[in-house]
Amino acid sequence: MTPANPRPEGTAQDSVADSVRGNWVDRYAPAATRPYLRLSRADRPIGTWLLLLPCWWGLVLAMLHDGQARWFDLWIFGGCAIGAFLMRGAGCTWNDITDRHIDGSVARTASRPIPSGQVSVRGALAWLVVQALVAFCILLSFPPTAIALGILALAPVAIYPFAKRFTWWPQIFLGIAFNWGALLAWTAHTGQLEWPAVILYLAGIAWTLFYDTIYAHQDAEDDALIGVKSTARLFGDRSPLWLRRFLVATVVLMTAAVILASRGGDPIALLIALLGPWALGLHLVWQMTRLDVQDMQGLLRLFRSNRDAGLLPLPFFAAALLV
């Protein structure tokens, strides 16, 4: 769907409908850059956090696994942060290119840069390439196995925008893409992919199914009208039941990853590290107590609160390293 009066490419708009009010892009970014930064969701940082946190989980658990902390780990920590910002931006740009006709038909997304006419498809493709190339330069600083994993991650990123057209479970494809950093950061530290990282990756996918099902309920009515599939539409009134299942799976799988990563280590360190997945689980329980699928603003607040949920395991993992 093309807006009746599209804005010329590069011009500014007050904000995107679901952006954080008073965000830095709307307030401080030069007007000509705002459409591209909005295309990358720089005005909505939660997605960068959700992509980054599994990276940090994987890195700290890898350090706990082999009992080693090197100066290069600081670069992995920072490189993952920069890479998450860039690849989340590239992924969102790709998503908006592929969804430009759908977004124009959905109230929450019609104000995005492409359907609103602020950025052309050609301009969006150029912006995608710039972000991906800078991220690739960062990836090249990692060990060879991690580089290979990073390149392989492009496959689920490319597929995800199309998943809602052919499956009721597009959130699985999002989880596969968004939690890849757990594998990559672990491998960047250890030089090889091991089972604790794989189990942690599966925990992240379960977590993604939890938070993105909440997010998808915002668009359930519009999605039904245009034939877009999601777990929110699939589960309907049974969503709380399924969310509880994803909650349990997240905690159990992360607990298993911690146990495998700590095998043979100090039992006190293991007990401290195990508090991480349980702290995450308690936050997800708190979200369930406030879930109302008819409250659109409440759904968005709960979704955004998953930044805090995902941060909770890290201090426990880090404390376990000091034991």
Side-chain angles (χ1 to χ4, degrees):
M1 172 181 284
T2 303
N5 296 298
R7 295 174 178 83
E9 181 177 347
T11 60
Q13 177 179 301
D14 290 340
S15 65
V16 176
D18 57 351
S19 64
V20 177
R21 298 306 170 200
N23 65 80
W24 71 274
V25 173
D26 293 349
R27 296 178 64 185
Y28 303 117
T33 67
R34 290 176 193 167
Y36 294 94
L37 291 171
R38 289 168 182 155
L39 197 60
S40 299
R41 310 289 197 274
D43 54 346
R44 281 155 286 173
I46 179 60
T48 298
W49 279 108
L50 296 176
L51 187 61
L52 171 60
L53 288 168
C55 301
W56 285 353
W57 296 347
L59 173 60
V60 182
L61 270 190
M63 294 165 68
L64 187 64
H65 178 64
D66 63 13
Q68 299 184 45
R70 311 179 188 92
W71 285 111
F72 185 66
D73 293 323
L74 287 176
W75 169 240
I76 298 174
F77 185 88
C80 284
I82 300 168
F85 178 81
L86 291 166
M87 286 309 298
R88 190 263 183 139
C92 288
T93 302
W94 172 242
N95 186 80
D96 282 9
I97 291 170
T98 61
D99 281 358
R100 60 191 182 275
H101 302 300
I102 293 174
D103 285 348
S105 304
V106 177
R108 186 177 59 83
T109 58
S111 58
R112 287 180 177 174
I114 296 177
S116 65
Q118 297 174 74
V119 178
S120 68
V121 174
R122 180 176 294 181
L125 283 169
W127 180 232
L128 185 159
V129 170
V130 168
Q131 295 172 95
L133 284 176
V134 177
F136 184 63
C137 290
I138 294 172
L139 180 65
L140 290 177
S141 68
F142 289 174
T145 307
I147 293 173
L149 279 172
I151 294 171
L152 188 60
L154 294 176
V157 171
I159 293 170
Y160 167 66
F162 302 101
K164 56 183 169 289
R165 294 165 169 83
F166 63 80
T167 178
W168 287 101
W169 293 82
Q171 279 69 27
I172 288 181
F173 288 85
L174 181 67
I176 291 170
F178 255 56
N179 295 280
W180 203 272
L183 306 176
L184 194 152
W186 175 288
T187 305
H189 172 85
T190 65
Q192 60 185 347
L193 184 59
E194 297 172 276
W195 277 111
V198 175
I199 303 301
L200 183 66
Y201 176 58
L202 295 176
I205 293 174
W207 179 45
T208 301
L209 283 162
F210 180 92
Y211 66 66
D212 207 59
T213 296
I214 292 175
Y215 185 80
H217 268 285
Q218 296 176 92
D219 298 330
E221 292 186 7
D222 285 333
D223 287 349
L225 289 173
I226 59 180
V228 170
K229 299 177 174 67
S230 72
T231 50
R233 287 191 61 207
L234 176 64
F235 302 152
D237 294 338
R238 297 177 298 140
S239 285
L241 172 63
W242 279 95
L243 290 174
R244 284 191 289 271
R245 290 171 176 170
F246 298 145
L247 187 164
V248 171
T250 301
V251 174
V252 169
L253 287 166
M254 186 179 285
T255 297
V258 171
I259 292 171
L260 286 174
S262 304
R263 183 179 297 173
D266 188 295
I268 302 300
L270 172 60
L271 289 173
I272 294 171
L274 285 174
L275 293 175
W278 289 97
L280 170 59
L282 285 174
H283 196 290
L284 301 188
V285 170
W286 173 83
Q287 291 183 49
M288 290 295 301
T289 65
R290 284 154 178 78
L291 179 68
D292 178 359
V293 297
Q294 303 303 321
D295 178 5
M296 298 302 110
Q297 287 303 311
L299 290 170
L300 186 57
R301 284 193 298 271
L302 286 179
F303 168 72
R304 288 174 176 166
S305 76
N306 280 280
R307 179 203 65 176
D308 299 336
L311 282 168
L312 285 173
L314 289 171
F316 296 104
F317 293 168
L321 282 171
L322 302 177
V323 174

